[in-house]
Amino acid sequence: MAAILPDSDSEDELPSGWEERATSDGSVYYVNHSTKGTQWTHPRTGKRKIVSGELPYGWKKTVDENGKIFYENTVKNSVTFTDPRLAFATEQKEHPTDIRQKYDASTHALQILHGRDMSGSVAIITGASSGIGFETARSLALHGCCVVFACRSEESATSAIGKIKSERPTATCHYINLNLESLKSVENFVAEFKKEFKFLHYLILNAGVFALPHTITPDGFELTFQVCHLSHFYLTKLLCDTLVSTPKSRVIVLSSESHRFSLLSEDSIDEETLTPLDGSKFWSMIAYNNVKLCNVLFASELACRLYSYGVSVFSCHPGNLVYTNIFRYYWVYWLLSFLVRPFTKSLQQAASTTIYCAVATELNGISGSYFNNCYQCRPSSRAMNKTMAEKLWTLSENLIQKWQART
């Protein structure tokens, strides 16, 4: 193995005189022009890399009569011997769950997608018309992904789609009404989606509410619980067949580090605690913390149930006090998020972990993990409690059955 050289500003940056190349089967090797030698391992990290997947849009691979491979950019009418996929080469893992951190809290979603052609892929994003959801939708759409805006307000969704099309007129965006306060709306959304689409590559459960007063929805459930968990649970269940029939599909559930402050336990995951009809003991912050734990538990259990079908599921934390309209109902947090805005993530940075979980090739074959700042991290001990995850799943199914019996 090559000696490991001192770190530079970028660990992946090649030393002077080195060049990165790829073989016809996708193995990456390194050429030292000073010594005229080659090696399979990166001269700084000592790691092996591979390139995979389709060539970026506009590129084609050609082999001449001497067997030499070159790449033609049909858009720019240029030719190179360098595989354009080298920019997105991934390390070969010694263990399937090994993930080396490539991005951090300062990374923008568009940086992760740089050079990626997402044409042919379909994403559903709940709450895509504003905030982190909009930046997630914008980032995917600008790179060719067909994005379905699952939103309550057609006016807001249409305005958001217009902003994206002003940047990329060929962007493919669709609006389908989804009101997470109504399980019937969830059913209608899925029926409409399945009329138009046969595949679903990314289901991004982004929408949420924060610090609302105790409110019962028309379906008979506490509002924060239904919007942040139960309706997303039902939406995912109704879309499972489409996810399973789509190769390498992924589900991303937005949670929060506040899940660590939940008061839920194995004994308290019940209807009375999670969706109380009596608001006398209701505290909106505790309700939010509890439902954020539900998000991680749901993602964990869903990952177990869908793993054998090739569907990957991740939960993630977008950032602390990111300035979005989720705080619009609670002026104290709105003011606090406004005051700390210069020191927190931008919306593009907040969307980066969601985008990373959706598209990172190094996550192929991995499922059930929790991510923060584009990196896998350990959630709370209760979030990893298998019994709590199973109880939440059963309770959620029972609540939907109760609603169906009433309607």
Side-chain angles (χ1 to χ4, degrees):
M1 177 181 287
I4 308 300
L5 302 181
D7 286 341
S8 68
D9 289 340
S10 172
E11 196 178 24
D12 275 330
E13 183 182 343
L14 288 171
S16 176
W18 287 82
E19 182 185 351
E20 194 174 42
R21 295 180 183 173
T23 63
S24 58
D25 66 356
S27 297
V28 176
Y29 67 100
Y30 302 90
V31 180
N32 187 332
H33 291 292
S34 299
T35 65
K36 308 300 182 185
T38 62
Q39 62 188 54
W40 293 109
T41 55
H42 191 288
R44 286 193 186 278
T45 67
K47 301 288 186 178
R48 289 175 177 260
K49 285 187 175 183
I50 56 173
V51 294
S52 59
E54 299 296 324
L55 290 170
Y57 174 76
W59 286 87
K60 69 177 184 178
K61 176 180 172 182
T62 303
V63 182
D64 65 18
E65 64 245 7
N66 298 317
K68 195 159 189 176
I69 300 171
F70 62 92
Y71 301 88
E72 181 181 357
N73 187 329
T74 59
V75 177
K76 296 183 178 180
N77 294 319
S78 61
V79 175
T80 179
F81 293 108
T82 303
D83 190 327
R85 296 173 298 172
L86 279 170
F88 316 107
T90 56
E91 290 182 355
Q92 289 182 303
K93 304 173 186 175
E94 296 180 6
H95 188 276
T97 58
D98 288 344
I99 303 173
R100 178 166 167 253
Q101 185 161 7
K102 296 165 61 178
Y103 308 106
D104 56 27
S106 64
T107 302
H108 289 66
L110 288 169
Q111 288 177 264
I112 296 171
L113 287 166
H114 178 69
R116 293 286 293 268
D117 180 12
M118 306 294 293
S119 301
S121 58
V122 178
I124 291 175
I125 305 176
T126 65
S129 61
S130 64
I132 298 169
F134 171 72
E135 286 300 330
T136 304
R138 171 176 169 262
S139 300
L140 289 172
L142 290 179
H143 285 81
C145 181
C146 173
V147 179
V148 177
F149 282 61
C151 310
R152 179 173 56 181
S153 169
E154 181 174 5
E155 181 181 359
S156 296
T158 302
S159 174
I161 291 171
K163 292 177 184 177
I164 293 172
K165 285 186 172 290
S166 69
E167 293 187 73
R168 179 173 177 167
T170 58
T172 306
C173 301
H174 296 263
Y175 164 71
I176 300 178
N177 179 263
L178 176 63
N179 180 1
L180 293 171
E181 296 180 25
S182 165
L183 293 176
K184 185 62 180 176
S185 176
V186 173
E187 292 181 340
N188 292 340
F189 172 89
V190 172
E192 188 67 26
F193 175 82
K194 290 183 177 181
K195 285 181 185 177
E196 298 187 41
F197 300 94
K198 293 183 179 180
F199 298 104
L200 175 57
H201 300 84
Y202 312 110
L203 174 58
I204 300 175
L205 307 178
N206 165 85
V209 292
F210 174 83
L212 294 182
H214 182 264
T215 307
I216 301 299
T217 68
D219 292 337
F221 305 111
E222 193 278 317
L223 180 61
T224 300
F225 175 74
Q226 178 165 347
V227 169
C228 294
H229 169 70
L230 190 62
S231 289
H232 278 145
F233 173 88
Y234 194 34
L235 175 68
T236 307
K237 285 208 69 178
L238 294 178
L239 289 168
C240 269
D241 56 344
T242 308
L243 289 164
V244 167
S245 65
T246 306
K248 297 182 179 179
S249 59
R250 297 188 184 183
V251 180
I252 297 89
V253 186
L254 267 72
S255 179
S256 169
E257 280 291 279
S258 67
H259 83 272
R260 301 182 189 278
F261 305 103
S262 168
L263 300 182
L264 288 177
S265 65
E266 288 185 20
D267 296 329
S268 63
I269 290 191
D270 53 35
E271 184 174 356
E272 182 179 354
T273 301
L274 288 172
T275 176
L277 298 180
D278 179 8
S280 60
K281 297 181 180 180
F282 181 84
W283 186 15
S284 60
M285 195 64 219
I286 293 299
Y288 182 77
N289 294 345
N290 286 347
V291 83
K292 292 293 104 179
L293 176 59
C294 289
N295 294 152
V296 185
L297 291 170
F298 164 55
S300 175
E301 183 64 18
L302 182 67
C304 293
R305 292 172 182 252
L306 294 185
Y307 185 78
S308 62
Y309 296 99
V311 181
S312 294
V313 184
F314 306 107
S315 55
C316 66
H317 168 65
N320 296 316
L321 288 175
V322 178
Y323 188 76
T324 75
N325 63 1
I326 195 172
F327 298 118
R328 62 191 181 276
Y329 299 111
Y330 200 165
W331 73 268
V332 173
Y333 280 93
W334 180 89
L335 179 60
L336 180 59
S337 67
F338 177 81
L339 292 174
V340 302
R341 187 176 183 180
F343 312 103
T344 60
K345 289 183 178 183
S346 68
L347 292 175
Q348 255 292 306
Q349 291 169 326
S352 64
T353 303
T354 303
I355 292 294
Y356 177 77
C357 289
V359 307
T361 55
E362 59 265 36
L363 300 186
N364 290 341
I366 297 174
S367 188
S369 298
Y370 174 75
F371 286 79
N372 186 2
N373 293 329
C374 300
Y375 192 64
Q376 183 181 24
C377 63
R378 190 179 181 89
S380 70
S381 58
R382 281 174 292 183
M384 297 185 290
N385 186 311
K386 179 67 174 173
T387 300
M388 291 181 69
E390 291 173 345
K391 287 190 69 173
L392 176 65
W393 188 281
T394 300
L395 172 65
S396 301
E397 287 188 324
N398 290 341
L399 292 175
I400 290 170
Q401 290 170 3
K402 285 180 65 174
W403 167 76
Q404 289 172 333
R406 293 197 298 263
T407 57

